Amino acid sequence: MPEQSLRDWLSDRSVWLQEASRRLFAGQTSTADELADLCLQEVLGKASIPGFILPKGLFGAGSSKSLRLTSIQDIQGINALSPKKSLNFGNSNLSVVYGLNGSGKSGYVRILKHACGARHPGELHPNVFAAAKVEQKCKISYDKDGTAIQHDWLAASGVIDDLTTVDIFDTICGHVYVAGENEVSYEPPILSFLSDLISISEDVASILDKKIQHLCSAKPKLPPEYATTPSGKWYLQISSNLSEEQTAKQCDWSAALEEELLGLQKRLSEKSPAEKATLLRKQKHNLEMLKNDVDEKTSALSDQCCEAIFDLKKDASKKKDAAKTAAEKVFANAPLDGIGSEVWKELWEKARQYSEQVAYRDSIFPVIGDAAKCVLCQQDLSADAKVRFQSFEEFVKGTLEDDASKALKALMDAVSTLTDPPSEEVLRAKMTASGWDDEDVVKELVAICDALRKRRDALLTTDSVAELPPIPDSCKWVEMANQLTAGYEESALKFDEDAAGDNRAMLQSGYLDLQAKKWLSQQRESIDEEIKRLKKLNILEEAKRLTATTGLSKKKGDLAEVLITKAYVKAFNDELKILGAGKIRVELVKTRVSKGHVLHQLRLCGSKGCDLEHVLSEGEFRIIALAAFLADVAGKAGATPFVFDDPISSLDQDYEETVVQRLIALSKDRQLIVFTHRLSLLGLIQDYAKVAGSEVHIVCLRQESWGAGEPGDTPLFAKKPERALNVLIGERLSGAKKVLDELGKELYEPIAKGLCSDFRILLERMIETDLLADVVQRYRRAVNTMGKIEKLALITAEDCKFFGDMMTKYSRYEHSQPGEAPVQLPLPDELQQDFNALKSWRDEFVKRDK
């Protein structure tokens, strides 16, 4: 069973589709946005619904809805239409809108085609002769399920949703049905349900498409030179499944990588790698010398070294004091002060040198013999002087003085090793020679050297390490210097490698990849956003895949084979027989199913690829198109209108009558509006409607001076004779009399001529319908004898004379008049007399029949 098949099939579908089905079954309103969100939740694994149950009764007839078109009015800017009155379609199910060519019928049909969403509605042109272009609009009134609605329709707004069930047939529609593939308009509820699901799926897919379109990539464009690098290729292939760790590995940038990049840049820019390696090692040597120099001077003034100098200083002072004490004892009676002082000692040593090297070369100083003289004053030495000389020498040669001298010498030797730290100028020169141009380091070194200088100078003026100026911490610059020297050697080795081999292409490749990697690090935020976008895009695309209509279309096609195609083909064949076209060798076949739309096409039975339009005559083409149209739409549920525009165009008499009979039958249950310019069709509709007991509402359209499409009274020939006679007497004759009385004969005569002409037509109609009992009529092939031919026996010679005289009299006014004896038009009193005479005759004839 189709219902069980659909139940089983839906139970295996996606969650969102099951929920959409459930809401359709329950009659719940769902927006495409809500269902799109549900679809996305399903992709994220967050969607669930209660147990899925397919309700019974999907094959029911469905609810019946009623719709009637009531009027079109206030037309602006559409074709040449400019009616002052509304076009009313009356209260009966059958309406005929009659008008000559150019009266505006086609304009009204085009309005309905556009407002009702007909197939191939064509372009809605404005009035091409109007000076100013105005907005195309009108008011369309209709009755929906008993509620009267007036819609202010703008052509630009398109279809009126309430009127989409109106079916319209015209030449273009007929061509579509015969020449192309067509979808059946009526669907059983179960297929309508699948159509709704397909429509919902397409709407949800459209929503998801819009979301996808809004997820525009903001990923910066990769510089073309990086496209072939590993980093560039990674960037071009960024996907949604990249982890944070993978992204960080590709995008993180460090100082080491920056240094490597600069190193490669230098290597690539170097024309002589060997010379560059030599230069780097020289700079390394200069930097090491600078570092060693500062290290040595810093070490020489360390707390430990300074403590040692302070110890020497204390020792020299102590021994000096001891020697001084001894000297004071020796030289206590010296006639002069300062004996034993440093100045004196220097004088004494000079005297020793003079004596031993010049005056007494072979004698030991001091020489105090008999003939000895003072080497300082050149005088003879007295006994006291000799004693004094001898005591002086003993003092100088004594242990205490010697210890004091040694201690002082040790101190001075230690101090002499503390050479002056480099000046700022020297430091800058050495930094430059080392290839290290860092002002902060220069300032740090200057500060260290200044501190060392002050510390060295303070050694002789202070007595403890605590009183010395501190030495600034040099760890930072030393560490930097060590790194730089190591870098120099590493770079030199690489330049040695460059000089020894041909590896430039490899270096270039590595350099470009590092550049690309650095560029990636600068785009990290954009890359993270792109990955997020791709993840969202993946979800949306996965959700969109859940909205695919292929499965739904296939399922609908399978069910349609059982529920539509066979029924449609049978309906088409039945319509062919009803319309008398069963002998035409055509067949209706299903061609394909596209997105849930079941398409059919008409083909010639047994033909080999010939198109119908090239084989069939115009009349056959028309009747087949009508059959296909009626087979399609006649089975729809609900009482919705049919609109036909000249349905019998190109048909012969046989087809005309069968078509009219079919239209009358359709009008039993649905509103049917026929637009035509053919009197024969109007007459046929009236005749067959009368037989069927149906009332026909007739409207006549006219071209007026202000525009086309003006609705007017039913033409005289289309009215019942009795009513037409009453109109002549009660309305038109009184109007003509007023014109004569107020405006004169000149304006009266055209009106009188019209009355005469219409009265003559009415006489002909009376002869057909009353005198001859409607046995025969013009434009009708049938001769009605049943219950009518016996009425011919009621005709008398007086009746024939009456009509003969009246026809003779009023035929004169139809012909051109002789110039010498023109026939005068009758005055109102004479017309009234004749009109009343016809009325009296009819009243008497009707009584005679009874």
Side-chain angles (χ1 to χ4, degrees):
M1 293 293 291
E3 188 169 352
Q4 183 61 45
S5 171
L6 180 61
R7 179 184 294 108
D8 295 341
W9 185 81
L10 281 173
S11 64
D12 292 331
R13 297 305 100 187
S14 58
V15 171
W16 89 267
L17 192 62
Q18 292 184 26
E19 177 63 10
S21 303
R22 187 187 67 77
R23 295 186 186 186
L24 271 179
F25 295 148
Q28 296 177 353
T29 302
S30 301
T31 65
D33 288 310
E34 290 174 337
L35 293 172
D37 288 341
L38 180 61
C39 193
L40 290 171
Q41 292 298 313
E42 180 174 355
V43 173
L44 295 172
K46 300 178 181 178
S48 62
I49 60 170
F52 179 71
I53 300 175
L54 178 69
K56 297 180 179 179
L58 285 179
F59 291 102
S63 60
S64 177
K65 293 186 179 180
S66 127
L67 181 69
R68 287 184 60 84
L69 295 170
T70 54
S71 68
I72 300 175
Q73 64 191 64
D74 296 343
I75 301 171
Q76 293 184 23
I78 300 174
N79 295 178
L81 296 176
S82 185
K84 295 182 178 180
K85 294 182 289 186
S86 67
L87 173 60
N88 296 309
F89 297 114
N91 297 320
S92 67
N93 269 10
L94 184 56
S95 300
V96 179
V97 180
Y98 169 80
L100 300 175
N101 291 332
S103 61
K105 301 185 306 302
S106 297
Y108 282 106
V109 174
R110 290 189 188 104
I111 288 174
L112 289 174
K113 288 179 72 174
H114 279 266
C116 300
R119 302 180 185 183
H120 303 282
E123 189 172 354
L124 200 61
H125 291 287
N127 186 346
V128 295
F129 299 105
K133 187 176 181 180
V134 297
E135 186 176 30
Q136 293 182 301
K137 62 181 181 179
C138 68
K139 292 180 180 178
I140 300 177
S141 298
Y142 54 93
D143 186 284
K144 181 182 179 184
D145 296 331
T147 302
I149 299 172
Q150 185 179 78
H151 187 94
D152 292 329
W153 181 68
L154 299 175
S157 65
V159 178
I160 300 173
D161 291 339
D162 286 344
L163 302 185
T164 55
T165 56
V166 176
D167 296 301
I168 302 174
F169 179 87
D170 63 358
T171 300
I172 297 175
C173 174
H175 189 275
V176 170
Y177 268 97
V178 177
E181 290 180 318
N182 293 281
E183 182 185 9
V184 180
S185 297
Y186 169 71
E187 291 180 328
I190 196 169
L191 295 185
S192 296
F193 159 73
L194 284 173
S195 294
D196 289 340
L197 273 186
I198 290 169
S199 178
I200 289 171
S201 296
E202 290 173 346
D203 289 343
V204 171
S206 178
I207 294 292
L208 294 174
D209 268 334
K210 289 179 181 177
K211 291 179 180 291
I212 289 172
Q213 290 167 10
H214 288 158
L215 279 179
C216 297
S217 175
K219 186 172 75 168
K221 184 178 180 181
L222 180 73
E225 61 269 23
Y226 302 154
T228 58
T229 66
S231 295
K233 291 177 180 178
W234 178 88
Y235 181 75
L236 293 174
Q237 296 173 358
I238 285 175
S239 65
S240 60
N241 56 5
L242 285 173
S243 66
E244 176 68 23
E245 293 75 15
Q246 290 172 315
T247 306
K249 182 179 179 181
Q250 284 292 65
C251 298
D252 284 356
W253 188 253
S254 63
L257 289 174
E258 180 69 26
E259 186 176 349
E260 183 180 353
L261 177 65
L262 292 175
L264 284 174
Q265 184 179 19
K266 291 177 181 178
R267 289 173 71 180
L268 287 168
S269 62
E270 187 57 54
K271 296 181 180 179
S272 177
E275 292 180 5
K276 183 66 176 180
T278 301
L279 175 62
L280 287 171
R281 288 194 172 94
K282 185 175 181 181
Q283 289 175 332
K284 172 191 173 186
H285 173 73
N286 292 336
L287 182 55
E288 288 176 339
M289 293 296 292
L290 173 61
K291 184 172 77 68
N292 291 338
D293 187 19
V294 175
D295 282 347
E296 288 175 1
K297 289 180 169 48
T298 302
S299 298
L301 287 170
S302 65
D303 288 350
Q304 184 178 359
C305 291
C306 289
E307 195 68 53
I309 289 174
F310 280 128
D311 289 343
L312 290 174
K313 186 178 178 181
K314 290 177 181 177
D315 183 58
S317 177
K318 181 179 179 182
K319 289 179 178 179
K320 180 182 177 181
D321 289 342
K324 184 179 179 181
T325 300
E328 286 175 351
K329 292 180 179 179
V330 173
F331 305 118
N333 299 318
L336 297 175
D337 293 334
I339 302 301
S341 66
E342 293 300 323
V343 175
W344 180 86
K345 287 179 181 179
E346 186 175 352
L347 176 63
W348 186 257
E349 289 301 321
K350 293 297 181 183
R352 183 191 303 277
Q353 293 176 12
Y354 174 71
S355 174
E356 291 178 348
Q357 296 176 10
V358 178
Y360 303 106
R361 291 181 180 179
D362 297 327
S363 300
I364 297 173
F365 181 78
V367 179
I368 55 174
D370 294 339
K373 294 184 181 292
C374 177
V375 293
L376 296 175
C377 64
Q378 304 294 316
Q379 295 181 16
D380 293 332
L381 291 172
S382 64
D384 291 337
K386 289 179 181 181
V387 173
R388 196 176 294 113
F389 260 54
Q390 188 62 39
S391 63
F392 285 169
E393 180 61 14
E394 289 176 356
F395 167 75
V396 171
K397 293 291 185 178
T399 304
L400 291 177
E401 184 62 25
D402 184 55
D403 290 344
S405 296
K406 289 179 180 180
L408 179 60
K409 184 177 183 304
L411 173 62
M412 298 313 295
D413 287 344
V415 171
S416 66
T417 61
L418 301 176
T419 58
D420 190 31
S423 65
E424 180 176 349
E425 182 180 357
V426 172
L427 285 172
R428 289 186 180 276
K430 288 186 176 183
M431 286 284 287
T432 301
S434 302
W436 194 4
D437 185 15
D438 190 326
E439 185 64 25
D440 291 338
V441 174
V442 171
K443 291 179 179 179
E444 183 179 350
L445 283 174
V446 168
I448 291 173
C449 289
D450 286 346
L452 290 174
R453 193 174 290 110
K454 291 177 181 178
R455 187 178 178 92
R456 185 202 62 183
D457 294 343
L459 280 173
L460 300 177
T461 60
T462 57
D463 296 320
S464 69
V465 172
E467 298 178 55
L468 293 175
I471 302 174
D473 184 12
S474 60
C475 293
K476 182 178 179 182
W477 96 270
V478 170
E479 182 181 355
M480 293 171 67
N482 289 335
Q483 290 177 354
L484 190 57
T485 53
Y488 281 154
E489 182 58 30
E490 184 180 349
S491 297
L493 290 172
K494 290 178 180 178
F495 279 113
D496 287 341
E497 182 183 343
D498 296 345
D502 186 10
N503 59 349
R504 190 169 185 82
M506 183 183 69
L507 294 178
Q508 182 68 37
S509 176
Y511 176 67
L512 269 179
D513 188 49
L514 280 175
Q515 278 190 315
K517 190 175 182 67
K518 183 175 183 179
W519 184 86
L520 289 182
S521 71
Q522 295 166 348
Q523 316 305 321
R524 176 62 188 274
E525 185 176 345
S526 297
I527 290 172
D528 289 341
E529 289 301 316
E530 176 66 8
I531 293 172
K532 290 178 185 177
R533 184 190 76 87
L534 291 173
K535 290 181 186 297
K536 292 178 182 177
L537 190 63
N538 259 6
I539 293 170
L540 287 169
E541 288 176 342
E542 180 62 28
K544 188 181 174 184
R545 280 191 283 274
L546 294 180
T547 68
T549 60
T550 305
L552 288 168
S553 295
K554 185 177 184 303
K555 190 63 181 176
K556 183 178 177 182
D558 294 341
L559 293 175
E561 185 66 36
V562 178
L563 301 175
I564 286 187
T565 298
K566 293 179 180 179
Y568 187 24
V569 171
K570 182 180 183 303
F572 173 70
N573 292 330
D574 290 345
E575 290 293 342
L576 281 180
K577 292 177 183 177
I578 293 171
L579 297 176
K583 64 182 182 295
I584 302 176
R585 298 184 62 194
V586 293
E587 62 179 344
L588 183 66
V589 295
K590 187 183 84 171
T591 53
R592 60 195 173 95
V593 179
S594 175
K595 291 190 176 181
H597 301 285
V598 184
L599 302 178
H600 297 78
Q601 190 171 29
L602 286 167
R603 294 176 182 171
L604 287 168
C605 296
S607 68
K608 297 181 180 180
C610 295
D611 294 334
L612 289 177
E613 56 186 327
H614 297 145
V615 177
L616 300 178
S617 68
E618 287 188 24
E620 289 175 325
F621 191 93
R622 188 73 166 189
I623 201 69
I624 294 249
L626 272 168
F629 173 76
L630 293 174
D632 180 15
V633 302
K636 279 186 178 179
T640 55
F642 286 134
V643 177
F644 291 89
D645 183 17
D646 272 331
I648 64 171
S649 174
S650 302
L651 299 181
D652 61 23
Q653 184 68 28
D654 289 333
Y655 285 144
E656 284 183 4
E657 292 188 8
T658 55
V659 168
V660 170
Q661 291 177 61
R662 182 65 178 125
L663 296 184
I664 299 299
L666 289 171
S667 70
K668 290 290 185 182
D669 302 314
R670 298 168 66 170
Q671 183 186 27
L672 192 140
I673 302 171
V674 178
F675 289 82
T676 184
H677 69 285
R678 298 183 61 175
L679 285 174
S680 61
L681 177 59
L682 178 58
L684 284 171
I685 290 175
Q686 286 180 301
D687 291 339
Y688 283 106
K690 183 176 181 181
V691 172
S694 300
E695 183 181 350
V696 183
H697 175 76
I698 301 173
V699 183
C700 180
L701 297 181
R702 294 181 176 84
Q703 169 94 37
E704 299 290 356
S705 59
W706 57 82
E710 188 64 48
D713 195 11
T714 305
L716 188 68
F717 51 77
K719 291 181 179 178
K720 292 181 178 180
E722 181 183 9
R723 185 170 178 273
L725 182 56
N726 289 334
V727 171
L728 287 179
I729 296 172
E731 297 177 12
R732 296 181 60 187
L733 183 58
S734 60
K737 185 176 181 181
K738 185 176 181 181
V739 170
L740 178 62
D741 293 342
E742 296 179 2
L743 303 175
K745 210 169 186 180
E746 182 179 358
L747 296 179
Y748 165 75
E749 286 184 350
I751 298 174
K753 192 173 188 311
L755 282 170
C756 291
S757 178
D758 287 346
F759 186 62
R760 181 182 178 279
I761 294 172
L762 182 57
L763 287 170
E764 293 176 350
R765 293 279 290 141
M766 282 282 193
I767 292 170
E768 289 177 334
T769 60
D770 292 304
L771 184 65
L772 298 180
D774 196 32
V775 174
V776 294
Q777 274 197 30
R778 287 170 294 179
Y779 309 117
R780 189 179 71 196
R781 297 178 64 191
V783 178
N784 296 332
T785 58
M786 183 66 68
K788 294 185 178 184
I789 196 167
E790 62 270 18
K791 294 181 182 181
L792 297 180
L794 299 175
I795 302 174
T796 64
E798 288 78 9
D799 295 331
C800 295
K801 184 178 186 306
F802 174 75
F803 279 101
D805 291 345
M806 284 291 187
M807 286 292 292
T808 300
K809 178 179 179 179
Y810 282 92
S811 294
R812 293 181 300 170
Y813 307 121
E814 293 293 312
H815 305 298
S816 60
Q817 304 298 316
E820 294 182 358
V823 177
Q824 297 294 321
L825 288 168
L827 295 174
D829 291 342
E830 184 179 354
L831 288 172
Q832 186 166 8
Q833 183 180 349
D834 290 341
F835 292 174
N836 287 335
L838 181 60
K839 188 175 187 305
S840 298
W841 174 86
R842 187 182 182 284
D843 291 342
E844 188 276 330
F845 191 79
V846 170
K847 290 178 183 178
R848 194 187 310 171
D849 180 26
K850 292 180 180 179

